Amino acid sequence: MAATRALFAVRGSDGISIVHGPPKFRQNQDFGSDNSGRCTVMTFSADGSLFAWCNGQSVRVVDTSKFSLVCRIPKEKTQCLDFSPKSTHISTWEQYTASKDQSAGVNNLEIWNLQAGRLVAGFSQKKKDTWQPKWSEDESVCARSVTNEVHCFHNTDFTSIATKLRLQGISDFELSPGSPPLTVAAYVPGSKGAPSYVRLFRHPDFDSPASMLLIIVANRCSFFVGSALLVITTTDVDSTGASYYGEQTLHYISTSGESSMVQLAKRGPIYSVQWSPNSKEFCVVYGFMPAKATLYNVKCESLFDFGTGPRNDIFYNPHGNNILEKDNHKFSLLFLYQEMWSRKDLKLISKPQASDSTYFEWCPDGEHILTATTSPRLREGNGYKLWHYTGKLLDERSVDELWEVKWQPVVHGVFKEPRIDYSAAASATTQEQQKTKDVYRPPGLRGSAPSVKLHENEPAENMKPKEGQEMSKSAAKNKKKREAKARAKQEQEAAIGEVVNSKLPPPSPASPPVADTTTLPPEKEKKLRNLKKKLRQIEDLKEQQKSGKTLEKNQLDKVAAEASLIKEIQELELGS
């Protein structure tokens, strides 16, 4: 029986426990707890009716209606678990091992029938990245990756391979959602001068591809399955030299075989791609920081531009009526920036902030949020917090060493779509949302408003001033500051040029014309800029000397070198 209430599982050094979500926030007494400190993995079935975990002794599967034991599997070293879509089977994976006696290795991937509690299939699967068998939603097809092949089993019969897709060099594949006929997407990385490509095949006819997408250069590939297939391709080297992280592109492939590249409005990495729960649209976060977020339809047309900001991930709530954008960079964990948007009218709801968070997940009710600080990513301050989407903190718990938290899924229709509340509530139990991070300023400027912003964030398209519409006072003030700064820079450069020209002797009639500095070789042009910079410093020292300040010996030496500096500048500009 599927769950009808919001629960979540907590896994850490103290073992595993089940906690009630809103409004109770207390431990579930039916489950109790497993206090083993060796709980390596846990997972729920797709409908939330079953829960499984490994405690270092065995894999246990329980029914979540009363948390009664369904079966116990004697696999104490299990590192990965996965239920089949209809919860009839569970797959277990442990680290691959081989010995002199068993050079082929032991079967570390096993599939178990839950009703009978018996092993139905065992395979040798070395790579953890590709261990997971792929099922169709009706469980009529189960496919797994092997070297240069994809093996398909039909109707949970694992005694023989029903169909086989053979593709030299295949490194990843994906099944289309929904009922048969199925489409299989296969990725083959390039080698020995051959290009990388993605092919689509109609199951079970693998003789000819339904479509082919050629990718000239790609070292890695990621699939995102919705009503169509989104493919992120990654190269280790950026051909433009703009980033040493490489270059990424996003491709769209429909099940009918049509393909196109998604046009992104800003250069840079692709941080996150998410399909809406209705699979009619998708959202992408991309571009050098501050990153841009854009909503697209299935024709790859831009529906809405969220502007730019410090973000690198995006999440739809289960109903698809709320969108949350967040920043949770691996190397900037001390601050979590979030923006909550209504999908229906594309209005900003709130900007909740949860510091030190390394994990985020929507509650199945579409109204509450679970954030956590987990180990080993952060060793201090481990625990989890429960929020309302308006930004109100509802509950907070500390855990000595927290490894994982996970909501229990529920079947569609259990929770009604929540109404959107635009009156963002401030947290009553913490003031962390009121804190702001400021740039460093020297002691003499502290207490005053910062005058420099590292990045000017672009507002969302519905927040930009329309043509003919007056700008806000703050926007007009910022514009004046930028214009004044640009004018000051131009005046400073002009003043430096006047100083240099006043020091140089007038050219004789026989002298050749002064060479344009823009035609100088790059190394000479760089040297000329440095010399002019030193000359400007000398002028500043002379002004200080006139005002009565006593110069140090090294400063007097700089002033004494003015004539030779001017001569060197003259020689460079004359091209000698």
Side-chain angles (χ1 to χ4, degrees):
M1 178 180 176
T4 58
R5 59 198 185 280
L7 301 172
F8 62 93
V10 180
R11 182 174 67 89
S13 57
D14 295 334
I16 288 181
S17 59
I18 303 292
V19 180
H20 286 276
K24 295 182 179 180
F25 308 117
R26 60 175 176 81
Q27 187 168 322
N28 185 285
Q29 298 301 320
D30 291 338
F31 178 81
S33 63
D34 186 329
N35 298 323
S36 171
R38 298 174 57 200
C39 294
T40 54
V41 63
M42 66 178 185
T43 191
F44 287 99
S45 60
D47 62 358
S49 61
L50 298 176
F51 177 66
W53 75 100
C54 178
N55 59 6
Q57 299 176 349
S58 62
V59 173
R60 300 187 182 188
V61 182
V62 295
D63 183 343
T64 56
S65 61
K66 295 182 180 179
F67 290 99
S68 56
L69 186 66
V70 174
C71 70
R72 180 177 294 162
I73 300 172
K75 301 295 293 184
E76 69 276 4
K77 296 181 181 180
T78 299
Q79 295 183 10
C80 298
L81 290 169
D82 185 56
F83 285 99
S84 62
K86 297 174 70 175
S87 307
T88 60
H89 293 73
I90 189 171
S91 303
T92 65
W93 183 90
E94 61 184 39
Q95 190 66 44
Y96 174 83
T97 58
S99 62
K100 294 181 179 179
D101 298 333
Q102 293 178 314
S103 58
V106 298
N107 288 340
N108 59 326
L109 166 60
E110 297 181 341
I111 301 177
W112 298 75
N113 182 293
L114 290 173
Q115 185 175 4
R118 64 181 179 85
L119 178 67
V120 295
F123 309 100
S124 178
Q125 193 80 18
K126 293 183 180 181
K127 295 182 180 180
K128 187 176 182 179
D129 293 341
T130 57
W131 82 271
Q132 189 175 355
K134 308 287 179 69
W135 295 79
S136 62
E137 290 183 3
D138 61 359
E139 295 190 1
S140 62
V141 177
C142 178
R144 61 176 290 262
S145 175
V146 299
T147 304
N148 298 325
E149 293 180 345
V150 174
H151 292 176
C152 297
F153 304 90
H154 293 175
N155 301 317
T156 66
D157 179 10
F158 296 96
T159 57
S160 61
I161 301 171
T163 55
K164 186 184 297 185
L165 167 61
R166 180 167 180 81
L167 204 57
Q168 187 68 30
I170 182 172
S171 67
D172 198 6
F173 78 98
E174 194 64 64
L175 294 182
S176 63
S179 303
L182 301 174
T183 302
V184 180
Y187 168 65
V188 178
S191 63
K192 297 180 180 179
S196 305
Y197 60 87
V198 174
R199 280 184 176 176
L200 296 186
F201 296 86
R202 299 289 186 190
H203 177 272
D205 180 18
F206 293 143
D207 293 333
S208 59
S211 172
M212 179 189 292
L213 168 66
L214 283 178
I215 306 167
I216 303 303
V217 178
N219 300 106
R220 291 178 303 281
C221 179
S222 302
F223 290 146
F224 298 86
V225 180
S227 57
L229 184 69
L230 292 171
V231 183
I232 294 180
T233 61
T234 304
T235 62
D236 292 333
V237 178
D238 187 348
S239 57
T240 65
S243 172
Y244 57 80
Y245 289 113
E247 190 174 13
Q248 292 181 309
T249 53
L250 181 63
H251 301 266
Y252 174 95
I253 311 176
S254 68
T255 54
S256 62
E258 298 176 355
S259 63
S260 63
M261 183 182 293
V262 181
Q263 299 300 319
L264 304 179
K266 189 175 184 180
R267 285 188 56 81
I270 300 172
Y271 303 104
S272 180
V273 176
Q274 293 291 332
W275 280 98
S276 168
N278 60 23
S279 290
K280 295 180 180 179
E281 65 185 33
F282 59 93
C283 195
V284 188
V285 182
Y286 60 96
F288 296 113
M289 286 294 165
K292 183 178 281 288
T294 306
L295 193 65
Y296 295 90
N297 61 17
V298 292
K299 296 181 180 179
C300 300
E301 299 168 338
S302 175
L303 297 177
F304 185 75
D305 180 3
F306 292 95
T308 61
R311 54 172 77 106
N312 70 343
D313 217 340
I314 193 160
F315 297 87
Y316 283 89
N317 75 345
H319 301 92
N321 67 329
N322 275 349
I323 303 175
L324 183 132
E325 300 168 2
K326 75 178 184 70
D327 164 58
N328 192 16
H329 277 85
K330 183 175 181 181
F331 299 110
S332 60
L333 295 174
L334 299 182
F335 182 67
L336 179 66
Y337 170 90
Q338 300 178 115
E339 283 186 1
M340 188 72 64
W341 289 78
S342 164
R343 172 58 192 94
K344 183 177 181 180
D345 46 19
L346 293 169
K347 289 184 179 180
L348 184 64
I349 301 172
S350 62
K351 289 187 176 182
Q353 297 170 8
S355 61
D356 297 349
S357 296
T358 61
Y359 177 81
F360 170 94
E361 188 181 5
W362 274 103
C363 177
D365 65 7
E367 191 171 354
H368 296 88
I369 300 165
L370 180 64
T371 64
T373 304
T374 57
S375 181
R377 193 149 171 202
L378 277 182
R379 299 286 186 180
E380 299 294 330
N382 280 199
Y384 58 85
K385 297 176 183 178
L386 287 152
W387 308 77
H388 190 262
Y389 70 83
T390 55
K392 184 178 181 180
L393 180 62
L394 304 176
D395 192 50
E396 180 178 3
R397 303 290 170 89
S398 297
V399 180
D400 289 339
E401 189 173 341
L402 179 62
W403 298 332
E404 185 182 11
V405 288
K406 184 174 291 189
W407 283 108
Q408 175 190 19
V410 299
V411 294
H412 180 71
V414 170
F415 293 108
K416 295 182 179 179
E417 182 176 316
R419 295 183 60 184
I420 304 300
D421 179 11
Y422 292 98
S423 57
S427 171
T429 57
T430 180
Q431 295 182 352
E432 68 180 350
Q433 293 164 268
Q434 314 303 328
K435 298 178 183 178
T436 58
K437 300 287 183 181
D438 206 354
V439 296
Y440 171 79
R441 283 174 288 165
L445 295 178
R446 289 174 187 171
S448 60
S451 58
V452 178
K453 288 187 74 173
L454 295 178
H455 301 289
E456 192 71 35
N457 289 337
E458 176 188 332
E461 65 178 54
N462 58 359
M463 295 182 178
K464 295 178 181 178
K466 297 179 181 178
E467 189 175 351
Q469 180 180 348
E470 292 186 2
M471 289 188 294
S472 64
K473 291 182 179 180
S474 60
K477 186 177 180 180
N478 290 334
K479 184 180 179 182
K480 287 181 180 179
K481 285 183 178 179
R482 291 193 295 271
E483 291 174 349
K485 187 177 179 182
R487 284 197 302 270
K489 185 177 180 181
Q490 291 175 355
E491 291 171 0
Q492 186 182 35
E493 291 175 350
I496 295 170
E498 290 176 4
V499 170
V500 174
N501 293 331
S502 66
K503 302 293 182 181
L504 295 175
S508 63
S511 301
V514 177
D516 186 359
T517 57
T518 58
T519 62
L520 292 175
E523 62 275 7
K524 288 190 176 182
E525 187 177 353
K526 182 179 179 181
K527 185 177 181 180
L528 184 61
R529 287 199 304 268
N530 291 333
L531 292 173
K532 288 185 177 182
K533 181 179 178 182
K534 290 180 181 179
L535 188 61
R536 185 173 70 249
Q537 293 171 349
I538 290 173
E539 291 297 321
D540 292 340
L541 291 173
K542 290 169 69 175
E543 290 295 328
Q544 295 175 22
Q545 195 175 32
K546 286 180 183 179
S547 64
K549 182 178 178 180
T550 303
L551 299 181
E552 301 290 339
K553 184 180 183 303
N554 62 331
Q555 294 174 325
L556 291 171
D557 292 341
K558 281 186 180 180
V559 174
E562 181 181 16
S564 62
L565 197 65
I566 292 173
K567 183 179 179 181
E568 195 173 354
I569 292 174
Q570 183 183 19
E571 290 174 351
L572 278 174
E573 290 190 332
L574 291 175
S576 57

